[in-house]
Amino acid sequence: MKFLHISDLHLGKQLAEYSLLDDQRYILRQILDIAAERQPDAVIVAGDLYDKPVPPAEAVTVLDWFITSLTEMQIPLLMISGNHDSPERLDFGSGLFEEKGVYLVGQFNGAPKKVTLGEPGDQADFYLLPFIRPGNVRPFFPDEEIKSYDDAMRCIMENLTLSKDVPSVLVAHQFVTAGGVSPERSESEIISLGGTDNVDVSNFIAFQYVALGHIHRPQRLTRDSVRYAGSPLKYSFSEAEYDKSVVLVTLNRMEEPTVELIPLEPVRDLRRIRGPLEKLLSDEVVSASNREDYLHVTVTDTEPVADPLYRLRQVYPNIMRLAFASSMEEEQVTVSASEVVERRTPPQLFAEFYSQMQGEPLSEEDGKLVLRLMEKIWGNISDRSETTEEQTGGEGGSEDETD
C-alpha cells in the first residue's frame, strides 16, 4: 500500500497582487504526472484546498480538473478541510463523490471519517480529520472538559479504536508541536495569537503514518512517519531557500513506513536577489536564472539610482518587492515586533489597542464585554490564553503580512 501526501494547495491565492492560479495548475499537473508514473493506491490532500472560504470560480475550476483527472486514473482521493476552507461548502456533494473514489470531509461530525482502502492483506485504514477548534468538539463530548486545542484532539483520539492488524493513517490539518517545540514556520502562514492553538504530537503515537497540513515548510516531527507535506509552491519569500516536494509513503503493515520525497519544480520560482543595480542588470546575472521568476530585489547601491524599478522590470517582469540595503534594519525590527505580538492573547491585544486609541485603559466591565463577544464569535477565547482563533489579513502585498 502506497500513497501520495500533499497539502496546502491554497488555490486562488494571490501574492503581491499576482494571481498564482497558472502556477498552481502547472504544479498540480506535475503532481498528476507523478501519480501516473508511480501509480499510488491513493492521493491525500491534508487541508487548505482553497486560499479563501469563498474561492474565486477559477480556483474551483482548477480543483474540479484535478479531482476529475485523478478519478480518470482510478486513483482514490482523500481530502479534508483546512482553516482556510469553508467546511460546509466542501461537504456539498461528498456522498456522490464517494461513488467515484473521492472522499472529502469538510465538517467535523464527532469522529474522523474512516476509509479503508486496498485489498485483503494489503489494506490501510485512513482517518480523515478536518481542521478542528475546541468549539467544534465540545458538543460531541458534553461530559469532557475541553478548554484547549490539545484537549479537543486528545478527546477525539481517546475515543478512537484503531485496528491491531491493519495500519492506520491519520489525515489532519493542525498546528502540531513536539513537547512544546514548534515546527519551522514561514511568513505565508497565519500567525496564531497567544500560541495556544497547538496540539502535541504525542496524541498520534498509535498511527503508522500521520499526514499533516497547515505548515508550509516540508518537515518531519519526531519521526519520518509524522510529517508536514508542505505547500506545493512557495507562498512567501521566507521560503525562498527551501525546496518543495510530494511525499510518497509506502506502508510496511504495522512497521515504520518508507518515506520518499519527490521534488517539485515550479514554472516560476520565488527568489531573492541582491546587489548593485548595474550588476543585477548584467548579462552574467540575468542569464544565470529564469527571468520570469517572482523576485524580491534588494538594491545595494550606496548612491541614489534613477528609476530602479522601471529598469529592473525591463529585464525581470515579475518583481514583487523592491528594497534597498538601508531598509533591512527596519524590516528586521518589524519581524521582531510580530514575534512579540504573537505571544499575547486577543483580549490583551484589544486592550492595548483601545488604550492607544482612547488614551485611557479599558475598564473591567468593557473588558468582560469584549471577552464575551470574542467567545460568541470565535467559540473559545479566555483570559488565561487557553485557546484562540487565528487572525487573518488581506491578500498578499508583502511577505510580512499574514494571509
Side-chain angles (χ1 to χ4, degrees):
M1 167 69 70
K2 60 182 180 180
F3 56 88
L4 292 177
H5 169 202
I6 62 175
S7 71
D8 295 272
L9 306 183
H10 287 276
L11 297 177
K13 185 175 181 64
Q14 289 190 330
L15 189 60
E17 299 182 357
Y18 284 78
S19 171
L20 300 181
L21 208 55
D22 288 342
D23 303 78
Q24 291 170 330
R25 179 184 284 272
Y26 179 90
I27 212 70
L28 288 179
R29 165 48 65 190
Q30 206 170 125
I31 293 171
L32 290 172
D33 291 342
I34 292 171
E37 178 185 352
R38 298 299 187 100
Q39 287 295 304
D41 297 292
V43 172
I44 289 174
V45 186
D48 278 354
L49 280 60
Y50 296 116
D51 192 56
K52 296 181 180 299
V54 183
E58 296 82 2
V60 178
T61 300
V62 170
L63 183 61
D64 176 73
W65 160 75
F66 181 68
I67 293 173
T68 302
S69 299
L70 282 173
T71 57
E72 289 174 350
M73 288 190 275
Q74 298 185 329
I75 298 176
L77 177 61
L78 301 95
M79 301 188 292
I80 60 171
S81 64
N83 57 301
H84 278 251
D85 298 312
S86 168
E88 297 81 6
R89 287 185 172 87
L90 287 186
D91 271 340
F92 176 80
S94 57
L96 292 174
F97 288 158
E98 287 191 19
E99 297 177 7
K100 294 293 185 179
V102 178
Y103 303 90
L104 176 55
V105 179
Q107 300 179 86
F108 176 71
N109 293 314
K113 179 180 178 64
K114 179 182 175 182
V115 178
T116 301
L117 298 177
E119 302 296 330
D122 187 26
Q123 289 181 319
D125 293 333
F126 294 85
Y127 292 86
L128 310 185
L129 179 62
F131 177 73
I132 55 107
R133 300 181 176 91
N136 304 135
V137 179
R138 285 196 207 97
F140 298 98
F141 303 98
D143 297 329
E144 299 288 344
E145 186 176 15
I146 299 175
K147 295 182 177 181
S148 67
Y149 281 71
D150 194 62
D151 289 342
M153 184 62 71
R154 183 166 288 108
C155 187
I156 294 169
M157 294 296 109
E158 288 177 350
N159 286 274
L160 202 60
T161 302
L162 304 183
S163 172
K164 296 180 180 180
D165 303 312
V166 176
S168 299
V169 177
L170 177 68
V171 184
H173 189 95
Q174 301 291 151
F175 179 46
V176 181
T177 58
V181 178
S182 298
E184 295 184 42
R185 290 183 283 177
S186 60
E187 291 166 359
S188 58
E189 297 146 14
I190 288 175
I191 292 176
S192 305
L193 300 180
T196 58
D197 63 340
N198 64 293
V199 300
D200 194 78
V201 70
S202 61
N203 289 296
F204 311 132
I205 194 169
F207 291 91
Q208 275 63 55
Y209 186 83
V210 181
L212 295 173
H214 193 38
I215 302 299
H216 292 179
R217 189 171 294 177
Q219 59 196 285
R220 67 193 286 277
L221 288 178
T222 67
R223 55 187 169 107
D224 282 347
S225 52
V226 180
R227 183 174 292 275
Y228 282 107
S231 57
L233 291 173
K234 301 173 185 178
Y235 289 137
S236 80
F237 286 101
S238 63
E239 302 174 72
E241 306 304 321
Y242 293 87
D243 295 327
K244 297 296 184 175
S245 57
V246 171
V247 186
L248 177 64
V249 181
T250 303
L251 297 176
N252 301 314
R253 297 196 59 79
M254 308 305 287
E255 303 298 323
E256 186 76 1
T258 302
V259 174
E260 178 186 355
L261 301 184
I262 304 173
L264 295 172
E265 298 293 336
V267 63
R268 285 176 286 264
D269 201 358
L270 199 70
R271 296 191 292 115
R272 297 177 186 265
I273 60 174
R274 178 187 179 96
L277 180 62
E278 295 304 325
K279 182 176 182 180
L280 295 176
L281 296 174
S282 67
D283 292 339
E284 177 187 2
V285 174
V286 172
S287 61
S289 57
N290 184 3
R291 292 172 49 183
E292 300 292 323
D293 285 347
Y294 299 118
L295 298 179
H296 180 305
V297 182
T298 301
V299 176
T300 60
D301 293 79
T302 56
E303 300 295 330
V305 290
D307 296 326
L309 181 59
Y310 173 80
R311 293 174 63 188
L312 285 163
R313 278 193 167 150
Q314 303 309 301
V315 178
Y316 307 105
N318 294 321
I319 295 176
M320 289 186 169
R321 298 194 69 191
L322 176 63
F324 298 88
S326 61
S327 68
M328 289 300 97
E329 183 178 350
E330 179 181 346
E331 289 185 3
Q332 292 171 0
V333 171
T334 302
V335 172
S336 298
S338 70
E339 293 172 354
V340 172
V341 168
E342 185 177 351
R343 294 193 293 269
R344 298 174 186 165
T345 66
Q348 289 172 336
L349 289 168
F350 183 87
E352 291 176 13
F353 173 76
Y354 180 92
S355 178
Q356 292 173 4
M357 293 298 101
Q358 300 298 322
E360 59 184 31
L362 186 69
S363 69
E364 182 179 354
E365 181 179 353
D366 288 342
K368 291 179 180 179
L369 173 61
V370 169
L371 181 59
R372 288 198 300 272
L373 290 173
M374 287 181 175
E375 289 176 338
K376 181 178 180 181
I377 296 170
W378 289 335
N380 194 35
I381 296 290
S382 78
D383 289 311
R384 291 169 291 149
S385 184
E386 288 164 343
T387 63
T388 183
E389 173 66 81
E390 283 95 348
Q391 172 177 304
T392 59
E395 293 176 359
S398 79
E399 64 176 299
D400 295 324
E401 69 181 1
T402 57
D403 49 29

